[in-house]
Amino acid sequence: MSLINHHLTDALLMAYSAGTLPEAFSLVVATHISMCDECRARAGSFDSVGGQLLDSASGEALSDDALAATLRLIGGAAPEPRAPSTRRAPSTFPLPLQDYVGGDVDAVRWKRLGGGVRQMILPSSSDASVRLLYIPGGAAVPDHGHRGTELTLVLQGAFRDETDRFGVGDIEVATEDLEHKPVAEPGVACICLAATDAPLKFNSMIPRMLQPLFRI
Amino acid sequence: MNITGKTDAQGALGAYSATHHVCVRVPGKVQLTKKDESASPQWAAEILAIRDRQDQVAFARLFQHFAPRIKGFLMKSGTPADVAEDCAQEVMATVWRKAALFDPSRASASTWIFTIARNKRIDVVRRERRPEPEDLPWGPEAETDQEDALALEQENERLSKAISALPEKQRNLIQRAYFGDLSHRELAEETGLPLGTIKSRIRLALDRLRHEMK
């Protein structure tokens, strides 16, 4: 695992732990945590905050037969045995992402966006969208700003923009303030998982016209 | 830890002996020694008793403590009472079915049950999928390190005290985040997040992960 320099924010981790993020963002967060020990530890700690809140919460009385009803749900079945752990072959995509793609990087059904850039939109709830982006080495993603929040997680290669360099495992959290022009580093193509809760604002005419067509 | 709730549970179960779970000894399995009545490792011991012996009395005790809290938690998140009741029962049924996945060195009982309740809310109330991180590969032993489990419990006790000692405004902020009243964007704009309270918990969890992966 390469060294990860750009991590999730506390706000995103807390919202993921609380279960209030849009599905598209949760996918990016879960994929980053799969690659990043530090954010895994932070996420676990936010979960423990939730556990403490649950433990100290005032309860609501249940119906008299609630325990009996729950035992009926269980139906006398023994707890499920834990599946034996298997070390799986190394892959470009962590498992949560593979669930959405239907496999690793070779299973992606890319659609061309022009300039060698490709994308695949992944299914998610409608409050945000998430896609895979393929940017050939040295190529640029069209210059754009943001109306909402955009998360970009690098899965292969690297890109640079006005703020820094982002390599495998790094996540960029962009808000309204950031106008940026990400450029893939020369060499291997850069593959990113990107989610946004608002349409991107493109700064030139052609991408703007194409926007409804490509749903970006 | 709510002492009243626990006393109710013991009363409801009559003959159940409070000393029953002071030390769980199963050859080759984790042992959790409970030092005093108010420490929470007992809930972990109950889950392990379900895993190892299908212990229905242990399940009843867990149910008495957690089911009303799950229902309350879901209602505070805007779930109608009847849906919250059904969800609380389903969450507790999941606690039974998935007891073998519980690892007290990774999460306390209340944390683990919180994550099940949260996922139930996303599934039933929001009708969405919840992408989960890839699980770490289990070590060759796949057994809990008791020292880690106790360290985690102590850290969670500290976290619990730190949260209850927070000024009203900050505690309120955390509650609103977890009950779904604050979006991630609103959270990002809040500067009053009392994150110092979880810093040592994070360090411990990271040490544990690095130890596990080496």
Side-chain angles (χ1 to χ4, degrees), chain B residues 190-208:
Chain B
E190 283 291 348
T191 50
L193 276 180
L195 295 166
T197 51
I198 62 166
K199 286 286 187 284
S200 63
R201 171 67 180 73
I202 291 172
R203 271 197 301 277
L204 180 83
L206 193 54
D207 287 349
R208 161 91 175 117

Side-chain angles (χ1 to χ4, degrees), chain B residues 5 9 19 24 31 35-36 42 46 52 63-64 76-77 82 90 124-125 131 156 164 167 172 176:
Chain B
T19 59
V24 179
Q31 299 170 22
K35 291 200 178 98
D36 73 82
Q42 64 146 327
E46 313 284 22
D52 296 335
F63 191 93
Q64 301 288 348
K76 284 198 196 74
S77 317
D82 56 335
E90 285 169 27
V124 171
V125 181
N156 280 338
S164 49
N172 197 22
R176 286 171 63 208

Side-chain angles (χ1 to χ4, degrees), chain B residues 2-214:
Chain B
N2 184 320
I3 303 297
T4 315
K6 224 173 64 179
T7 309
D8 287 345
Q10 279 169 352
L13 291 162
Y16 180 75
S17 160
T19 59
H20 174 70
H21 54 274
V22 162
C23 192
V24 179
R25 284 191 179 277
V26 180
K29 301 278 182 179
V30 64
Q31 299 170 22
L32 277 179
T33 308
K34 197 161 68 68
K35 291 200 178 98
D36 73 82
E37 272 301 302
S38 64
S40 49
Q42 64 146 327
W43 301 122
E46 313 284 22
I47 300 174
L48 300 180
I50 294 168
R51 178 192 75 183
D52 296 335
R53 301 191 296 278
Q54 302 184 40
D55 188 332
Q56 291 210 6
V57 181
F59 182 72
R61 285 175 55 82
L62 273 179
F63 191 93
Q64 301 288 348
H65 181 77
F66 283 106
R69 286 171 168 77
I70 297 165
K71 184 177 177 184
F73 178 82
L74 291 170
M75 287 175 67
K76 284 198 196 74
S77 317
T79 311
D82 56 335
V83 179
E85 163 110 17
D86 287 351
C87 286
Q89 293 181 15
E90 285 169 27
V91 167
M92 290 309 297
T94 302
V95 167
W96 176 282
R97 292 191 192 107
K98 304 288 183 191
L101 294 179
F102 172 66
D103 178 349
S105 66
R106 294 186 187 203
S108 72
S110 52
T111 299
W112 187 61
I113 294 173
F114 161 75
T115 62
I116 297 172
R118 169 202 63 204
N119 293 357
K120 178 60 76 179
R121 184 180 68 192
I122 295 171
D123 180 30
V124 171
V125 181
R126 295 181 50 188
R127 296 172 194 278
E128 286 182 16
R129 284 171 72 184
R130 159 121 180 149
E132 291 282 356
E134 187 169 334
D135 207 356
L136 294 170
W138 295 82
E141 297 297 319
E143 287 298 345
T144 298
D145 185 318
Q146 186 180 3
E147 216 171 287
D148 283 341
L150 284 175
L152 188 84
E153 275 302 338
Q154 284 162 5
E155 199 51 56
N156 280 338
E157 285 293 316
R158 272 204 286 281
L159 177 66
S160 175
K161 287 201 181 85
I163 290 175
S164 49
L166 285 174
E168 178 67 29
K169 196 179 164 205
Q170 290 195 326
R171 200 167 59 243
N172 197 22
L173 195 63
I174 296 188
Q175 286 173 342
R176 286 171 63 208
Y178 281 83
F179 294 145
D181 292 339
L182 280 180
S183 72
H184 69 95
R185 214 180 304 179
E186 291 165 320
L187 269 172
E189 285 158 9
E190 283 291 348
T191 50
L193 276 180
L195 295 166
T197 51
I198 62 166
K199 286 286 187 284
S200 63
R201 171 67 180 73
I202 291 172
R203 271 197 301 277
L204 180 83
L206 193 54
D207 287 349
R208 161 91 175 117
L209 276 174
R210 288 182 174 147
H211 168 75
E212 192 166 317
M213 298 303 287
K214 77 171 184 235

Side-chain angles (χ1 to χ4, degrees), chain A:
Chain A
M1 190 61 52
S2 64
L3 193 65
I4 296 176
N5 292 312
H6 297 276
H7 298 275
L8 290 161
T9 61
D10 286 322
L12 283 164
L13 279 167
M14 188 184 265
Y16 177 69
S17 175
T20 55
L21 278 184
E23 183 184 355
F25 283 8
S26 289
L27 176 59
V28 180
V29 169
T31 305
H32 175 79
I33 290 173
S34 301
M35 306 167 86
C36 178
D37 284 352
E38 187 175 326
C39 288
R40 184 186 292 273
R42 290 165 69 209
S45 299
F46 280 109
D47 283 350
S48 69
V49 173
Q52 296 302 329
L53 288 183
L54 176 67
D55 207 44
S56 60
S58 54
E60 289 282 338
L62 279 87
S63 57
D64 289 342
D65 75 331
L67 176 57
T70 305
L71 289 170
R72 282 197 297 276
L73 278 178
I74 294 165
E80 298 161 14
R82 195 171 66 200
S85 83
T86 48
R87 277 196 188 273
R88 52 183 201 85
S91 61
T92 306
F93 295 169
L95 285 182
L97 178 55
Q98 292 200 27
D99 285 347
Y100 277 73
V101 172
D104 200 15
V105 64
D106 48 7
V108 179
R109 295 180 303 280
W110 295 110
K111 295 239 170 23
R112 288 169 199 287
L113 278 181
V117 178
R118 296 181 248 169
Q119 73 165 354
M120 176 184 179
I121 295 176
L122 302 174
S124 77
S125 61
S126 58
D127 46 359
S129 63
V130 59
R131 78 206 59 233
L132 282 163
L133 283 170
Y134 176 102
I135 307 149
V141 174
D143 192 10
H144 64 280
H146 310 89
R147 286 189 199 93
T149 302
E150 184 187 39
L151 309 181
T152 309
L153 170 65
V154 179
L155 301 160
Q156 175 187 300
F159 74 83
R160 284 178 188 276
D161 67 9
E162 287 76 352
T163 65
D164 208 345
R165 174 187 189 271
F166 295 83
V168 171
D170 280 330
I171 187 162
E172 181 173 54
V173 180
T175 57
E176 280 90 346
D177 314 329
L178 182 70
E179 290 255 335
H180 67 158
K181 187 170 185 177
V183 179
E185 283 193 341
V188 62
C190 180
I191 297 178
C192 297
L193 181 66
T196 177
D197 56 4
L200 304 184
K201 286 186 294 195
F202 284 101
N203 297 333
S204 70
M205 200 58 192
I206 300 294
R208 253 203 324 268
M209 285 164 51
L210 295 176
Q211 209 168 348
L213 212 56
F214 293 124
R215 293 172 53 202
I216 59 177

